[in-house]
Amino acid sequence: DADVTQTPRNRITKTGKRIMLECSQTKGHDRMYWYRQDPGLGLRLIYYSFDVKDINKGEISDGYSVSRQAQAKFSLSLESAIPNQTALYFCATSERGRIMNTEAFFGQGTRLTVV
Amino acid sequence: DQQVKQNSPSLSVQEGRISILNCDYTNSMFDYFLWYKKYPAEGPTFLISISSIKDKNEDGRFTVFLNKSAKHLSLHIVPSQPGDSAVYFCAASAAGGGNKLTFGTGTQLKVEL
């Protein structure tokens, strides 16, 4: 089983609909992140959390919200989906490094299409 | 502004030869650099990293070089294998930044037989 699991893997939704993407992890990491990937733009940070109920905006948070009710789970919501939110979404986790930063571990991604 | 840049969208190399992927950054606060490999329909997987206190880190066929004065890093893969064909992302983070990663736009590596 994957250490970082995203559901659903694929989703097509209509403009204006609310949609939630789920992420769960078994790595025991405190830190969780949501990134989105667009062609030619790499991955960009949407939101991140360092602990339960800790929420921080990333580079492109407009139009998104998140919830961290448990250490292992971090969900991303699109309150009213729009076509330019069509992208590949990745959840990631990392542990707090004692001296320096550490690598992040990614889920397999959710391909979201807004029509 | 693109703080991490990968100026080559694609690279084609013959099997057995060296692949060199390049990355430039602009933010002087970055002190930890990573390379991720991504296959289609999968998430990025961590490959190798280097901290700013080093100029080289090696792991098997993969070596990352860091030139802080030029704000440049490179990933060397030798020998290249067909299974190395993937998109490679360079990423960077800053101390105190909570492991938040800033990614480059990726380089598609194709290793040909």
Side-chain angles (χ1 to χ4, degrees):
Chain A
D1 287 341
D3 294 322
V4 184
T5 303
Q6 293 182 231
T7 55
R9 291 294 311 278
N10 290 281
R11 180 75 182 265
I12 300 174
T13 192
K14 293 184 178 180
T15 297
K17 292 291 187 182
R18 183 179 189 274
I19 182 170
M20 180 182 290
L21 309 184
E22 306 270 10
C23 177
S24 63
Q25 53 118 345
T26 58
K27 298 189 76 67
H29 290 166
D30 290 330
R31 299 176 172 186
M32 298 187 74
Y33 313 80
W34 276 104
Y35 290 87
R36 92 176 243 179
Q37 183 189 3
D38 297 277
L41 291 180
L43 282 77
R44 293 179 293 165
L45 183 62
I46 305 172
Y47 270 97
Y48 60 101
S49 169
F50 288 168
D51 204 345
V52 175
K53 297 189 180 178
D54 175 66
I55 302 296
N56 303 280
K57 291 184 177 180
E59 182 186 355
I60 52 165
S61 59
D62 287 349
Y64 301 95
S65 63
V66 292
S67 175
R68 182 92 185 271
Q69 297 296 319
Q71 190 207 37
K73 296 184 184 296
F74 193 34
S75 61
L76 175 73
S77 293
L78 286 67
E79 298 301 325
S80 179
I82 56 177
N84 76 1
Q85 290 178 313
T86 294
L88 197 50
Y89 290 84
F90 291 102
C91 174
T93 74
S94 73
E95 59 182 346
R96 183 199 309 260
R98 291 194 185 89
I99 299 174
M100 63 181 64
N101 284 342
T102 61
E103 68 269 25
F105 297 85
F106 284 80
Q108 292 190 298
T110 295
R111 182 167 295 282
L112 177 66
T113 303
V114 183
V115 297
Chain B
D1 64 332
Q2 193 76 23
Q3 297 185 62
V4 178
K5 301 177 184 178
Q6 294 177 256
N7 292 319
S8 298
S10 64
L11 175 67
S12 185
V13 172
Q14 281 196 317
E15 182 182 12
R17 305 293 288 268
I18 186 171
S19 296
I20 300 176
L21 294 90
N22 293 301
C23 178
D24 298 292
Y25 63 97
T26 58
N27 188 340
S28 299
M29 300 303 291
F30 290 147
D31 65 349
Y32 188 61
F33 304 90
L34 310 90
W35 285 95
Y36 281 84
K37 178 168 72 173
K38 185 183 180 305
Y39 293 119
E42 294 184 13
T45 55
F46 170 71
L47 194 57
I48 192 169
S49 64
I50 188 168
S51 77
S52 59
I53 62 174
K54 296 184 176 181
D55 54 19
K56 177 183 175 181
N57 189 28
E58 192 172 353
D59 184 1
R61 296 186 297 114
F62 303 92
T63 303
V64 56
F65 295 92
L66 175 63
N67 182 333
K68 289 188 292 294
S69 61
K71 293 190 175 68
H72 177 83
L73 63 154
S74 60
L75 174 69
H76 293 209
I77 306 173
V78 56
S80 300
Q81 300 173 354
D84 295 330
S85 297
V87 177
Y88 288 79
F89 289 100
C90 171
S93 64
N99 290 9
K100 293 180 296 178
L101 297 175
T102 301
F103 281 85
T105 52
T107 296
Q108 172 77 60
L109 173 66
K110 183 177 181 181
V111 180
E112 299 173 318
L113 298 172

